[in-house]
Amino acid sequence: AGFRLGESLRGGEILALNGALGAGKTVFVKGLAAALGVTEPVLSPTFTLCHVYEGGRLVLCHFDCYRLRDENEALNIGVTDYLGQKDTVCVLEWGDRIARLLPADTIRVAIERIGETQREIGIDTKQ
């Protein structure tokens, strides 16, 4: 699903991924990154908060907002500096934690684990 969505992205998109721990948010981002032409390994940014991948057809900024205390902390680490750049796709795991900072056209992706190897993925583009 991440790959299919990634194929349609043109730059400037912001994706907010939400789901329980272990639901597959980072796996979704790996598929999206592959569609963008990212060749380096995509890792969870849980402890670094952000990974930037260049070299594909678009820059991929992959944030993890799980450890952020509030929206001010997101502002302090520069999350909003990347949002909406036309050559960049921003993906925010746990994006609901900074929902007030995100524009109305944010693509919202909900991932729910429904079995050991099955996920239900909902994508709301509001575009």
Side-chain angles (χ1 to χ4, degrees):
F3 187 90
R4 286 193 305 266
L5 179 59
E7 289 178 311
S8 70
L9 301 179
R10 300 292 172 244
E13 294 91 354
I14 301 164
L15 287 77
L17 275 58
N18 293 291
L21 288 170
K25 294 178 294 295
T26 300
V27 173
F28 184 92
V29 177
K30 288 179 181 187
L32 189 141
L36 296 179
V38 172
T39 57
E40 61 188 287
V42 173
L43 305 172
S44 173
T46 299
F47 296 103
T48 58
L49 301 178
C50 178
H51 290 287
V52 177
Y53 301 96
E54 300 181 83
R57 64 181 177 86
L58 297 167
V59 174
L60 173 61
C61 293
H62 181 197
F63 293 93
D64 189 323
C65 301
Y66 183 77
R67 297 169 67 83
L68 297 179
R69 290 184 301 262
D70 57 33
E71 287 143 346
N72 285 329
E73 193 170 2
L75 291 170
N76 289 338
I77 66 166
V79 170
T80 56
D81 295 344
Y82 294 95
L83 300 180
Q85 291 185 16
K86 62 182 174 180
D87 65 339
T88 301
V89 172
C90 289
V91 179
L92 301 108
E93 293 191 30
W94 302 94
D96 59 347
R97 292 183 178 237
I98 61 165
R100 290 186 294 182
L101 297 179
L102 303 178
D105 63 349
T106 296
I107 299 168
R108 303 199 183 273
V109 179
I111 303 174
E112 182 180 353
R113 185 178 180 161
I114 58 173
E116 192 62 35
T117 60
Q118 295 177 307
R119 305 295 187 266
E120 182 172 282
I121 300 171
I123 300 173
D124 183 3
T125 60
K126 291 191 183 189
Q127 296 180 11

